[in-house]
Amino acid sequence: MPKEVFLIEVWRKYAENAEEIRVKRMPEEGIVKIKARMSGYLYTIRLPPDKADAILGELKEKGKKIVEY
């Protein structure tokens, strides 16, 4: 069962240790759901597209595997 996180700072800690980052864009709702896949859980956060793009840019610089679907 996935766990939803509401604070960006908390989610970033999970993202740094994640095996993979998954991104689902929902333009009809105006949000982006970002998921951090770890060995035990899937941590998700819902953000507006501008904040999500900023976080994804930081993760790409760190060399994280990001999958968009």
Side-chain angles (χ1 to χ4, degrees):
M1 194 75 189
K3 293 184 178 184
E4 187 169 8
V5 178
F6 298 99
L7 296 173
I8 294 173
E9 295 80 21
V10 173
W11 189 86
R12 280 186 181 157
K13 291 178 185 176
Y14 293 127
E16 290 178 7
N17 298 322
E19 300 167 1
E20 179 180 75
I21 305 295
R22 300 175 189 170
V23 181
K24 183 172 185 177
R25 297 183 185 271
M26 295 179 265
E28 63 276 355
E29 297 177 21
I31 61 169
V32 178
K33 185 185 276 187
I34 308 175
K35 307 171 184 183
R37 175 80 244 173
M38 298 183 70
S39 62
Y41 287 101
L42 180 69
Y43 294 95
T44 66
I45 189 167
R46 295 175 185 228
L47 297 171
D50 57 338
K51 288 186 180 181
D53 291 336
I55 290 176
L56 292 172
E58 292 173 13
L59 293 171
K60 284 180 184 178
E61 289 177 3
K62 293 181 180 179
K64 285 291 181 183
K65 180 180 178 185
I66 297 176
V67 178
E68 292 202 32
Y69 62 97

Coordinates of all heavy atoms in Angstrom, one line a residue:
M1 N 0.8 -1.2 0.0 CA 0.0 0.0 0.0 C 0.9 1.2 0.0 O 1.8 1.4 0.8 CB -0.9 0.0 1.3 CG -2.0 0.9 1.3 SD -3.2 0.3 0.2 CE -4.3 1.7 0.1
P2 N 0.7 2.2 -0.9 CA 1.5 3.4 -1.0 C 1.2 4.3 0.2 O 0.1 4.3 0.7 CB 1.1 4.0 -2.3 CG -0.1 3.4 -2.7 CD -0.2 2.1 -2.1
K3 N 2.2 5.1 0.5 CA 2.0 6.1 1.6 C 2.1 7.5 0.9 O 3.1 7.8 0.2 CB 3.1 5.9 2.7 CG 2.9 4.7 3.4 CD 3.9 4.6 4.5 CE 3.7 3.3 5.3 NZ 4.6 3.2 6.5
E4 N 1.2 8.4 1.2 CA 1.2 9.7 0.7 C 1.9 10.7 1.7 O 1.5 10.7 2.8 CB -0.2 10.2 0.3 CG -0.2 11.5 -0.4 CD -1.5 11.9 -1.0 OE1 -2.5 11.3 -0.8 OE2 -1.5 13.0 -1.7
V5 N 2.8 11.5 1.2 CA 3.5 12.4 2.0 C 3.1 13.8 1.5 O 2.8 14.0 0.4 CB 5.0 12.3 1.8 CG1 5.8 13.3 2.6 CG2 5.5 10.9 2.1
F6 N 2.9 14.7 2.5 CA 2.4 16.1 2.2 C 3.5 17.2 2.3 O 3.2 18.3 1.8 CB 1.2 16.4 3.1 CG 0.1 15.4 2.9 CD1 -0.1 14.4 3.7 CD2 -0.8 15.6 1.8 CE1 -1.2 13.5 3.6 CE2 -1.8 14.7 1.6 CZ -2.0 13.6 2.5
L7 N 4.6 16.9 2.8 CA 5.7 17.9 2.9 C 6.8 17.5 1.9 O 7.3 16.4 1.9 CB 6.3 17.9 4.3 CG 5.3 18.3 5.4 CD1 5.9 18.2 6.8 CD2 4.9 19.8 5.2
I8 N 7.3 18.5 1.1 CA 8.3 18.3 0.1 C 9.6 17.9 0.8 O 10.3 17.0 0.3 CB 8.5 19.6 -0.7 CG1 7.2 19.8 -1.5 CG2 9.7 19.4 -1.7 CD1 7.2 21.1 -2.3
E9 N 10.0 18.4 1.9 CA 11.2 18.1 2.6 C 11.3 16.6 3.0 O 12.3 16.0 2.9 CB 11.5 19.0 3.8 CG 11.6 20.5 3.5 CD 10.3 21.2 3.2 OE1 9.2 20.7 3.7 OE2 10.3 22.2 2.6
V10 N 10.2 16.1 3.5 CA 10.1 14.7 3.9 C 10.2 13.8 2.7 O 10.9 12.8 2.7 CB 8.8 14.5 4.7 CG1 8.6 13.0 5.0 CG2 8.8 15.3 5.9
W11 N 9.5 14.2 1.6 CA 9.5 13.3 0.4 C 10.9 13.3 -0.2 O 11.3 12.3 -0.7 CB 8.5 13.8 -0.6 CG 8.3 12.9 -1.7 CD1 7.5 11.8 -1.8 CD2 9.1 12.9 -3.0 NE1 7.7 11.1 -3.0 CE2 8.6 11.8 -3.7 CE3 10.0 13.7 -3.5 CZ2 9.1 11.5 -5.0 CZ3 10.6 13.4 -4.7 CH2 10.1 12.3 -5.5
R12 N 11.6 14.4 -0.2 CA 13.0 14.4 -0.7 C 13.9 13.4 0.0 O 14.8 12.8 -0.7 CB 13.6 15.8 -0.6 CG 13.1 16.8 -1.7 CD 13.8 18.1 -1.6 NE 13.3 19.0 -2.6 CZ 13.4 20.3 -2.6 NH1 13.9 20.9 -1.6 NH2 12.9 21.0 -3.6
K13 N 13.7 13.3 1.3 CA 14.5 12.3 2.0 C 14.3 10.9 1.4 O 15.2 10.1 1.3 CB 14.3 12.3 3.5 CG 14.7 13.6 4.1 CD 14.4 13.6 5.6 CE 14.8 14.9 6.2 NZ 14.3 15.0 7.6
Y14 N 13.0 10.6 1.2 CA 12.7 9.3 0.6 C 13.3 9.2 -0.8 O 13.8 8.1 -1.2 CB 11.2 9.0 0.6 CG 10.6 8.9 1.9 CD1 9.5 9.7 2.3 CD2 11.1 8.0 2.9 CE1 8.9 9.6 3.6 CE2 10.5 7.9 4.1 CZ 9.4 8.6 4.4 OH 8.9 8.5 5.7
A15 N 13.2 10.2 -1.6 CA 13.6 10.2 -3.0 C 15.1 10.0 -3.1 O 15.6 9.3 -4.0 CB 13.2 11.5 -3.7
E16 N 15.9 10.5 -2.2 CA 17.3 10.3 -2.2 C 17.7 8.8 -2.0 O 18.7 8.4 -2.6 CB 18.0 11.1 -1.1 CG 18.0 12.6 -1.4 CD 18.6 13.5 -0.3 OE1 19.2 12.9 0.6 OE2 18.5 14.7 -0.4
N17 N 16.9 8.1 -1.3 CA 17.2 6.6 -1.1 C 16.4 5.7 -2.0 O 16.5 4.5 -1.9 CB 16.9 6.3 0.3 CG 17.8 7.0 1.3 OD1 19.0 7.3 1.0 ND2 17.2 7.5 2.4
A18 N 15.6 6.3 -2.9 CA 14.7 5.5 -3.8 C 15.5 4.8 -4.9 O 16.5 5.2 -5.3 CB 13.7 6.4 -4.4
E19 N 14.9 3.6 -5.2 CA 15.5 2.8 -6.3 C 15.1 3.5 -7.7 O 15.8 3.4 -8.6 CB 14.9 1.4 -6.3 CG 15.3 0.7 -5.0 CD 14.5 -0.6 -4.9 OE1 13.7 -1.0 -5.7 OE2 14.7 -1.3 -3.8
E20 N 13.9 4.0 -7.7 CA 13.4 4.6 -9.0 C 12.3 5.7 -8.6 O 11.6 5.6 -7.6 CB 12.7 3.5 -9.8 CG 12.1 3.9 -11.1 CD 11.4 2.8 -11.8 OE1 10.3 2.4 -11.4 OE2 12.0 2.3 -12.8
I21 N 12.3 6.7 -9.4 CA 11.3 7.8 -9.3 C 10.3 7.7 -10.5 O 10.7 7.6 -11.6 CB 11.9 9.2 -9.3 CG1 13.0 9.3 -8.2 CG2 10.9 10.3 -9.1 CD1 12.6 9.2 -6.8
R22 N 9.0 7.6 -10.2 CA 8.0 7.5 -11.2 C 7.2 8.8 -11.2 O 6.9 9.3 -10.1 CB 7.1 6.3 -10.9 CG 7.9 5.0 -10.9 CD 7.0 3.9 -10.6 NE 7.8 2.6 -10.4 CZ 7.3 1.5 -9.9 NH1 6.1 1.5 -9.5 NH2 8.1 0.5 -9.7
V23 N 6.8 9.2 -12.4 CA 6.0 10.5 -12.5 C 4.8 10.2 -13.3 O 4.8 9.7 -14.4 CB 6.9 11.6 -13.2 CG1 6.1 12.9 -13.3 CG2 8.2 11.8 -12.5
K24 N 3.7 10.7 -12.8 CA 2.4 10.6 -13.5 C 1.8 12.0 -13.6 O 1.5 12.6 -12.5 CB 1.4 9.6 -12.9 CG 0.1 9.5 -13.6 CD -0.7 8.4 -13.1 CE -2.0 8.3 -14.0 NZ -2.8 7.2 -13.6
R25 N 1.7 12.5 -14.8 CA 1.1 13.9 -15.0 C -0.4 13.8 -15.2 O -0.8 13.0 -16.1 CB 1.8 14.6 -16.1 CG 3.3 14.8 -15.8 CD 4.0 15.6 -16.9 NE 5.4 15.7 -16.7 CZ 6.0 16.6 -16.0 NH1 5.3 17.6 -15.5 NH2 7.3 16.6 -15.8
M26 N -1.1 14.5 -14.5 CA -2.6 14.6 -14.7 C -3.0 16.0 -15.0 O -3.4 16.8 -14.1 CB -3.2 14.1 -13.4 CG -2.9 12.6 -13.1 SD -3.7 12.0 -11.6 CE -2.3 12.3 -10.4
P27 N -3.0 16.3 -16.3 CA -3.3 17.7 -16.7 C -4.7 18.1 -16.5 O -5.0 19.3 -16.2 CB -2.9 17.7 -18.2 CG -2.8 16.3 -18.6 CD -2.5 15.5 -17.4
E28 N -5.6 17.1 -16.5 CA -7.0 17.5 -16.3 C -7.3 17.9 -14.9 O -8.2 18.7 -14.6 CB -8.0 16.3 -16.7 CG -7.8 15.1 -15.8 CD -6.7 14.2 -16.3 OE1 -6.1 14.4 -17.3 OE2 -6.4 13.2 -15.6
E29 N -6.5 17.5 -13.9 CA -6.6 17.9 -12.5 C -5.6 19.0 -12.2 O -5.7 19.6 -11.1 CB -6.4 16.7 -11.6 CG -7.4 15.6 -11.8 CD -7.1 14.4 -10.9 OE1 -6.4 14.5 -9.9 OE2 -7.7 13.3 -11.2
G30 N -4.6 19.2 -13.0 CA -3.6 20.2 -12.8 C -2.6 19.9 -11.8 O -2.0 20.7 -11.1
I31 N -2.3 18.6 -11.6 CA -1.3 18.1 -10.6 C -0.4 17.1 -11.3 O -0.7 16.5 -12.3 CB -2.0 17.5 -9.4 CG1 -2.8 16.3 -9.7 CG2 -2.8 18.5 -8.6 CD1 -3.2 15.5 -8.5
V32 N 0.7 16.9 -10.6 CA 1.7 15.9 -11.0 C 1.9 15.0 -9.7 O 2.2 15.5 -8.7 CB 3.0 16.5 -11.4 CG1 4.1 15.4 -11.8 CG2 2.8 17.4 -12.6
K33 N 1.8 13.7 -9.9 CA 2.0 12.8 -8.8 C 3.4 12.2 -9.0 O 3.7 11.6 -10.1 CB 1.0 11.6 -8.8 CG 1.1 10.7 -7.6 CD 0.2 9.5 -7.7 CE -1.2 9.9 -7.1 NZ -2.1 8.7 -7.0
I34 N 4.3 12.3 -8.0 CA 5.6 11.8 -8.1 C 5.7 10.7 -7.0 O 5.3 10.9 -5.9 CB 6.7 12.9 -7.8 CG1 6.5 14.1 -8.7 CG2 8.1 12.3 -8.0 CD1 7.4 15.3 -8.4
K35 N 6.3 9.6 -7.5 CA 6.4 8.4 -6.6 C 7.8 8.0 -6.4 O 8.6 7.9 -7.4 CB 5.6 7.2 -7.2 CG 4.2 7.6 -7.6 CD 3.5 6.5 -8.4 CE 2.2 7.0 -8.9 NZ 1.5 5.9 -9.6
A36 N 8.2 7.7 -5.2 CA 9.5 7.2 -4.8 C 9.4 5.8 -4.5 O 8.9 5.4 -3.5 CB 10.1 8.0 -3.7
R37 N 10.0 4.9 -5.3 CA 9.9 3.4 -5.1 C 11.1 3.0 -4.3 O 12.2 3.1 -4.7 CB 9.9 2.7 -6.5 CG 10.0 1.2 -6.4 CD 8.6 0.7 -6.1 NE 8.6 0.0 -4.8 CZ 7.6 -0.4 -4.2 NH1 6.4 -0.3 -4.7 NH2 7.7 -1.0 -3.0
M38 N 10.8 2.5 -3.1 CA 11.8 2.0 -2.2 C 11.6 0.5 -2.1 O 10.6 0.0 -2.6 CB 11.8 2.7 -0.9 CG 12.1 4.2 -1.0 SD 12.1 5.1 0.5 CE 13.6 4.4 1.2
S39 N 12.4 -0.2 -1.4 CA 12.3 -1.7 -1.3 C 11.1 -2.1 -0.5 O 10.5 -3.1 -0.8 CB 13.6 -2.3 -0.6 OG 13.7 -1.8 0.7
G40 N 10.6 -1.3 0.4 CA 9.5 -1.7 1.3 C 8.2 -1.0 0.9 O 7.1 -1.6 1.0
Y41 N 8.3 0.3 0.5 CA 7.1 1.1 0.3 C 7.2 1.9 -1.0 O 8.3 2.1 -1.5 CB 6.8 2.0 1.5 CG 6.3 1.3 2.7 CD1 7.1 1.0 3.7 CD2 5.0 0.9 2.8 CE1 6.7 0.4 4.9 CE2 4.5 0.3 3.9 CZ 5.3 0.0 5.0 OH 4.9 -0.6 6.1
L42 N 6.1 2.5 -1.4 CA 6.0 3.4 -2.4 C 5.5 4.7 -1.8 O 4.4 4.8 -1.3 CB 5.0 3.0 -3.5 CG 4.8 3.9 -4.7 CD1 6.1 4.0 -5.6 CD2 3.7 3.4 -5.6
Y43 N 6.3 5.8 -1.8 CA 5.9 7.1 -1.2 C 5.5 8.0 -2.3 O 6.3 8.2 -3.3 CB 7.1 7.6 -0.4 CG 7.5 6.8 0.8 CD1 8.5 5.9 0.7 CD2 6.8 7.0 2.0 CE1 8.8 5.1 1.8 CE2 7.1 6.2 3.1 CZ 8.1 5.3 3.0 OH 8.4 4.5 4.1
T44 N 4.4 8.7 -2.2 CA 3.9 9.6 -3.2 C 3.7 11.0 -2.7 O 3.5 11.2 -1.5 CB 2.5 9.1 -3.8 OG1 1.5 9.1 -2.8 CG2 2.6 7.6 -4.3
I45 N 3.7 11.9 -3.6 CA 3.4 13.3 -3.3 C 2.7 13.9 -4.5 O 3.1 13.6 -5.6 CB 4.6 14.1 -2.9 CG1 4.3 15.5 -2.3 CG2 5.6 14.2 -4.0 CD1 5.4 16.2 -1.6
R46 N 1.7 14.8 -4.3 CA 1.0 15.5 -5.3 C 1.4 16.9 -5.3 O 1.4 17.6 -4.3 CB -0.5 15.3 -5.2 CG -1.0 14.0 -5.3 CD -2.5 13.9 -5.0 NE -3.0 12.6 -5.0 CZ -4.1 12.2 -5.6 NH1 -4.8 13.1 -6.2 NH2 -4.4 11.0 -5.6
L47 N 1.9 17.4 -6.5 CA 2.4 18.8 -6.5 C 1.8 19.5 -7.8 O 1.5 18.8 -8.8 CB 3.9 18.8 -6.6 CG 4.7 18.2 -5.4 CD1 6.1 18.1 -5.8 CD2 4.5 19.1 -4.2
P48 N 1.8 20.8 -7.8 CA 1.6 21.6 -9.0 C 2.7 21.3 -10.0 O 3.9 21.1 -9.6 CB 1.5 23.0 -8.6 CG 1.8 23.1 -7.2 CD 2.0 21.7 -6.6
P49 N 2.5 21.4 -11.3 CA 3.5 21.2 -12.3 C 4.8 22.0 -12.2 O 5.9 21.4 -12.4 CB 2.8 21.5 -13.6 CG 1.4 21.3 -13.4 CD 1.2 21.7 -11.9
D50 N 4.7 23.2 -11.8 CA 6.0 24.0 -11.7 C 6.9 23.5 -10.5 O 8.1 23.4 -10.7 CB 5.7 25.5 -11.5 CG 4.8 25.8 -10.3 OD1 4.1 24.9 -9.8 OD2 4.8 26.9 -9.8
K51 N 6.3 23.2 -9.4 CA 7.1 22.7 -8.3 C 7.6 21.3 -8.6 O 8.8 20.9 -8.3 CB 6.3 22.6 -7.0 CG 6.0 24.0 -6.4 CD 5.4 23.9 -5.1 CE 5.1 25.2 -4.5 NZ 4.5 25.1 -3.2
A52 N 6.8 20.5 -9.3 CA 7.2 19.1 -9.6 C 8.4 19.1 -10.6 O 9.4 18.4 -10.4 CB 6.1 18.3 -10.2
D53 N 8.4 20.0 -11.6 CA 9.5 20.1 -12.5 C 10.8 20.6 -11.9 O 11.8 20.1 -12.2 CB 9.1 21.1 -13.7 CG 8.0 20.5 -14.6 OD1 7.8 19.3 -14.6 OD2 7.3 21.3 -15.2
A54 N 10.7 21.4 -10.9 CA 11.9 21.9 -10.2 C 12.5 20.7 -9.4 O 13.7 20.5 -9.4 CB 11.5 23.0 -9.2
I55 N 11.7 19.9 -8.7 CA 12.2 18.8 -8.0 C 12.7 17.7 -8.9 O 13.8 17.2 -8.6 CB 11.1 18.2 -7.1 CG1 10.7 19.2 -6.0 CG2 11.5 16.8 -6.5 CD1 9.6 18.8 -5.1
L56 N 12.1 17.5 -10.0 CA 12.6 16.5 -11.0 C 13.9 16.9 -11.6 O 14.8 16.1 -11.8 CB 11.5 16.2 -12.0 CG 10.3 15.5 -11.6 CD1 9.2 15.5 -12.7 CD2 10.6 14.1 -11.1
G57 N 14.1 18.2 -11.8 CA 15.3 18.7 -12.3 C 16.5 18.5 -11.3 O 17.6 18.1 -11.7
E58 N 16.2 18.7 -10.0 CA 17.2 18.4 -9.0 C 17.6 16.9 -9.0 O 18.8 16.6 -8.8 CB 16.7 18.8 -7.6 CG 16.5 20.3 -7.5 CD 15.8 20.6 -6.1 OE1 15.7 19.7 -5.3 OE2 15.4 21.8 -6.0
L59 N 16.6 16.1 -9.1 CA 16.8 14.6 -9.0 C 17.6 14.1 -10.2 O 18.4 13.2 -10.1 CB 15.5 13.9 -8.9 CG 14.8 14.1 -7.5 CD1 13.4 13.4 -7.6 CD2 15.6 13.5 -6.4
K60 N 17.3 14.7 -11.4 CA 18.0 14.3 -12.6 C 19.5 14.7 -12.5 O 20.4 14.0 -13.0 CB 17.4 15.0 -13.9 CG 16.1 14.4 -14.3 CD 15.6 15.1 -15.5 CE 14.2 14.5 -15.9 NZ 13.6 15.1 -17.0
E61 N 19.8 15.9 -11.9 CA 21.2 16.3 -11.7 C 21.9 15.3 -10.8 O 23.1 15.1 -10.9 CB 21.2 17.7 -11.1 CG 20.8 18.8 -12.1 CD 20.8 20.1 -11.4 OE1 21.2 20.2 -10.2 OE2 20.5 21.1 -12.1
K62 N 21.2 14.7 -9.8 CA 21.8 13.7 -8.9 C 22.0 12.4 -9.5 O 22.5 11.5 -8.9 CB 21.0 13.6 -7.6 CG 21.1 14.9 -6.8 CD 20.3 14.8 -5.5 CE 20.3 16.1 -4.7 NZ 19.6 16.0 -3.5
G63 N 21.4 12.2 -10.8 CA 21.5 10.9 -11.5 C 20.5 9.9 -11.1 O 20.7 8.7 -11.3
K64 N 19.4 10.3 -10.6 CA 18.3 9.3 -10.2 C 17.6 8.9 -11.5 O 17.4 9.6 -12.4 CB 17.3 10.0 -9.3 CG 17.8 10.1 -7.9 CD 17.9 8.7 -7.3 CE 18.3 8.8 -5.8 NZ 18.5 7.5 -5.2
K65 N 17.2 7.6 -11.5 CA 16.4 7.1 -12.6 C 15.0 7.6 -12.5 O 14.3 7.3 -11.5 CB 16.4 5.5 -12.5 CG 15.6 4.9 -13.6 CD 15.7 3.4 -13.6 CE 14.9 2.8 -14.6 NZ 14.8 1.3 -14.5
I66 N 14.5 8.3 -13.5 CA 13.1 8.9 -13.5 C 12.4 8.3 -14.7 O 12.8 8.3 -15.8 CB 13.2 10.4 -13.6 CG1 13.9 10.9 -12.3 CG2 11.8 11.0 -13.7 CD1 14.1 12.4 -12.3
V67 N 11.2 7.7 -14.4 CA 10.3 7.1 -15.4 C 9.0 7.9 -15.4 O 8.4 8.0 -14.4 CB 10.1 5.6 -15.1 CG1 9.1 5.0 -16.1 CG2 11.3 4.8 -15.0
E68 N 8.7 8.4 -16.6 CA 7.4 9.1 -16.8 C 6.4 8.3 -17.5 O 6.8 7.7 -18.5 CB 7.6 10.5 -17.5 CG 8.4 11.4 -16.6 CD 8.2 12.9 -17.0 OE1 7.1 13.2 -17.5 OE2 9.1 13.7 -16.9
Y69 N 5.2 8.2 -17.1 CA 4.2 7.5 -17.8 C 2.9 8.2 -17.7 O 2.7 9.1 -17.0 CB 4.0 6.0 -17.3 CG 3.7 5.9 -15.8 CD1 2.3 5.7 -15.5 CD2 4.6 6.0 -14.8 CE1 2.0 5.6 -14.2 CE2 4.2 5.9 -13.5 CZ 2.9 5.7 -13.2 OH 2.5 5.5 -11.9

